[in-house]
Amino acid sequence: MAAPMEVAVCTDSAAPMWSCIVWELHSGANLLTYRGGQAGPRGLALLNGEYLLAAQLGKNYISAWELQRKDQLQQKIMCPGPVTCLTTSPNGLYVLAGVAESIHLWEVSTGNLLVILSRHYQDVSCLQFTGDSSHFISGGKDCLVLAWSLCSVLQADPSRIPAPRHVWSHHTLPITDLHCGFGGPLARVATSSLDQTVKLWEVSSGELLLSVLFDVSIMAVTMDLAEHHMFCGGSEGSIFQVDLFTWPGQRERSFQPEQDTGKVFKGHRNQVTCLSVSTDGSVLLSGSHDETVRLWDVQSKQCIRTVALKGPVTNATILLAPVSMLSSDFRPSLPLPHFNKHLLGAEHGDEPRHGGLTLRLGLHQQSVLGGQDQLRVRVTELEDEVRNLRKINRDLFDFSTRFITRPAK
C-alpha cells in the first residue's frame, strides 16, 4: 500500500490566475489550482477532507470549493463583515471565523450560526481547534489569547455571556499567530506576538510553560508533531528553531542568534508569514512577503526548493492529501448547506443574541418605550453607536501599535 502523499497548499494576496495552488511536497509537481478571489492570512481551511474554504481578503464572505471541482466555486458563505481568520474542527462538524472582534461558530450539518462570541476588544487575528475538537483557541490584536471549551460555549445559558476557559494576557502587543499541538484538552499551545516573544501554554491548567524572547517581532509559529522543536518566523525574514527539551529547563529564556547559529534558517528577504512542518518533522515549509514559498531541510537548515508566487504569501501549509483530492471521481458525502448569516431565530424576529447576551424587555418596558417599532429603532441606534466607538478604539490602538513598533532611527 502506497504511503500517504504530503502536499503543500499555498495562497498569495495577488492571485492573478488562481486563488490557491496545491503541489506535491517532495517533487514540486503542481496537482491542483482553485480559482475565485484572494485568500487572506490565516484564512485557509480544509473541511472534513471534502471541501476547501478560503476567507477572502478584505471581503465579507468565505469561498468554498469541492476538492475535485476546482474550477467551480461551490458556495459563498456570507458574513456580516470582512473575515480576519478561519478554521474548521478536525471532526468536520463546525466552522469558526473571526469577523472584526467577534468569533462566529457555524454547524456544518445545518448551516446554522450557533453563537457569536465577543470577548476580544480588537480584531481576532488567528483561530485553531485542538486535535479532538473539544477546545478552540483565539488570538487577537488586543494582545489576548483565549482558550474556549466548545461544550461550554454550546451549552451556555442564553441569558449569560459565554466565558473562555482561560484568558492568557501575558503578551503586550498584538498576537500574530498560534499553533495548537496534539493531546486534545492536554495539548500545548504556542503563541507569537509583535512583542518579540513566543509563549508556550498548557490548555488543561492554563499555565505558562515557556517564554522565549527574540530580537525581532515574531510573525508565525509552529511545532513538529513530536513537539521537540518550535519554529518561529521573524519580521526580517529569518526562521528560528527553539529546542523544547534542552536542559536545564528555563521558563524564560532569550534566543541568541550569535550563539545559536545552527538554529537559524536564512533565505527570505522579508517577513515570514506562515510556517508548517511535515509529518516526520524533516521538512519545514515557509511563506513570506518576498513572494516566495521555501522548503527547508530541518537538520541542515538548507533551502531545498523555492517556489515563486505572484504576491506576498498569505497561507502555506503541509497536508496529508485526502482521498477526495487525489481521486477524480470522488464526491462529498453530503452537499454543503447554506450557511446562515444571522443567529438561529434572529431573522424571524426573535430576540437578538450578541455573544450569548439576550436582550429581553418585558411588555411593560415595551409599552413605556412606545411599542416594538421604537424599541427596534433604539436598539439600532445603540448598535451603531457601539460600532462607531469600536472603530475609534481600533484606530487609536492601531496608531499606538505602529508608534511602539516602528524601527528606531
Side-chain angles (χ1 to χ4, degrees):
M1 184 176 181
M5 179 188 296
E6 285 188 305
V7 297
V9 185
C10 308
T11 66
D12 63 43
S13 59
M17 300 180 64
W18 39 260
S19 299
C20 178
I21 186 170
V22 181
W23 44 280
E24 203 277 323
L25 188 63
H26 299 285
S27 69
N30 289 351
L31 300 177
L32 296 167
T33 57
Y34 299 88
R35 299 173 182 173
Q38 303 165 324
R42 319 277 181 259
L44 194 67
L46 190 65
L47 177 60
N48 202 30
E50 298 179 343
Y51 295 93
L52 185 67
L53 306 183
Q56 295 304 298
L57 185 62
K59 303 293 181 61
N60 65 334
Y61 66 90
I62 300 168
S63 298
W65 297 272
E66 287 184 20
L67 285 185
Q68 271 302 326
R69 299 176 67 182
K70 54 186 180 297
D71 295 326
Q72 178 179 348
L73 188 61
Q74 174 70 11
Q75 184 176 320
K76 289 184 178 180
I77 302 173
M78 302 306 298
C79 301
V83 180
T84 56
C85 52
L86 175 71
T87 192
T88 59
S89 62
N91 59 17
L93 299 181
Y94 302 99
V95 172
L96 270 179
V99 180
E101 67 277 1
S102 300
I103 302 171
H104 290 58
L105 174 66
W106 284 276
E107 185 179 42
V108 173
S109 60
T110 61
N112 290 334
L113 178 58
L114 301 179
V115 68
I116 301 175
L117 302 169
S118 300
R119 291 299 296 267
H120 282 282
Y121 303 101
Q122 298 293 333
D123 288 357
V124 182
S125 55
C126 38
L127 289 165
Q128 192 172 355
F129 274 94
T130 56
D132 65 346
S133 304
S134 66
H135 291 72
F136 60 90
I137 316 296
S138 63
K141 291 184 178 181
D142 55 3
C143 317
L144 296 178
V145 180
L146 307 180
W148 303 84
S149 166
L150 181 62
C151 180
S152 298
V153 168
L154 295 179
Q155 295 182 356
D157 184 346
S159 64
R160 301 180 61 185
I161 300 176
R165 181 175 177 181
H166 302 298
V167 178
W168 295 324
S169 56
H170 292 59
H171 285 292
T172 57
L173 285 175
I175 308 301
T176 55
D177 195 14
L178 63 85
H179 174 83
C180 190
F182 277 89
L186 302 177
R188 298 188 292 181
V189 176
T191 59
S192 63
S193 169
L194 292 178
D195 64 8
Q196 302 184 356
T197 68
V198 170
K199 300 185 187 296
L200 191 65
W201 314 84
E202 187 177 57
V203 173
S204 59
S205 66
E207 182 181 359
L208 174 63
L209 303 177
L210 175 68
S211 180
V212 185
L213 176 65
F214 297 85
D215 293 333
V216 297
S217 298
I218 302 300
M219 312 306 296
V221 66
T222 192
M223 294 187 289
D224 58 4
L225 291 184
E227 299 183 13
H228 288 164
H229 309 293
M230 188 163 57
F231 302 93
C232 312
S235 57
E236 94 301 2
S238 296
I239 302 170
F240 311 103
Q241 176 182 313
V242 178
D243 296 332
L244 299 178
F245 286 90
T246 56
W247 186 262
Q250 296 176 312
R251 178 167 293 189
E252 295 187 7
R253 69 172 86 159
S254 297
F255 188 92
Q256 305 294 338
E258 61 277 4
Q259 298 178 7
D260 298 307
T261 53
K263 306 295 183 183
V264 181
F265 302 77
K266 293 186 176 180
H268 285 298
R269 301 185 306 274
N270 208 326
Q271 79 174 45
V272 178
T273 56
C274 38
L275 294 169
S276 185
V277 186
S278 63
T279 305
D280 62 3
S282 65
V283 173
L284 175 68
L285 182 72
S286 63
S288 169
H289 273 183
D290 65 8
E291 303 181 4
T292 65
V293 176
R294 293 176 182 262
L295 202 62
W296 308 84
D297 178 72
V298 171
Q299 185 173 5
S300 67
K301 307 298 184 291
Q302 297 298 311
C303 180
I304 55 180
R305 179 171 295 106
T306 300
V307 178
L309 302 185
K310 299 298 183 180
V313 180
T314 51
N315 297 278
T317 185
I318 297 175
L319 297 174
L320 282 176
V323 175
S324 52
M325 184 176 284
L326 305 177
S327 174
S328 58
D329 58 354
F330 183 89
R331 288 294 177 266
S333 55
L334 292 173
L336 201 62
H338 171 74
F339 279 65
N340 294 326
K341 184 177 178 180
H342 303 285
L343 285 167
L344 184 63
E347 66 270 23
H348 301 299
D350 295 349
E351 298 165 329
R353 293 175 61 200
H354 296 277
L357 176 62
T358 305
L359 303 177
R360 288 192 173 99
L361 290 174
L363 295 175
H364 174 68
Q365 290 172 298
Q366 291 183 18
S367 63
V368 171
L369 291 173
Q372 186 68 21
D373 291 339
Q374 284 188 336
L375 174 62
R376 287 175 178 159
V377 170
R378 182 55 180 160
V379 169
T380 301
E381 291 174 350
L382 290 174
E383 288 179 341
D384 290 340
E385 185 175 350
V386 169
R387 196 176 297 112
N388 186 43
L389 290 173
R390 283 177 173 169
K391 182 181 183 304
I392 294 172
N393 186 31
R394 187 181 302 113
D395 292 342
L396 288 172
F397 187 85
D398 290 343
F399 173 78
S400 302
T401 302
R402 289 195 301 270
F403 182 81
I404 293 172
T405 59
R406 68 182 180 181
K409 294 183 179 179

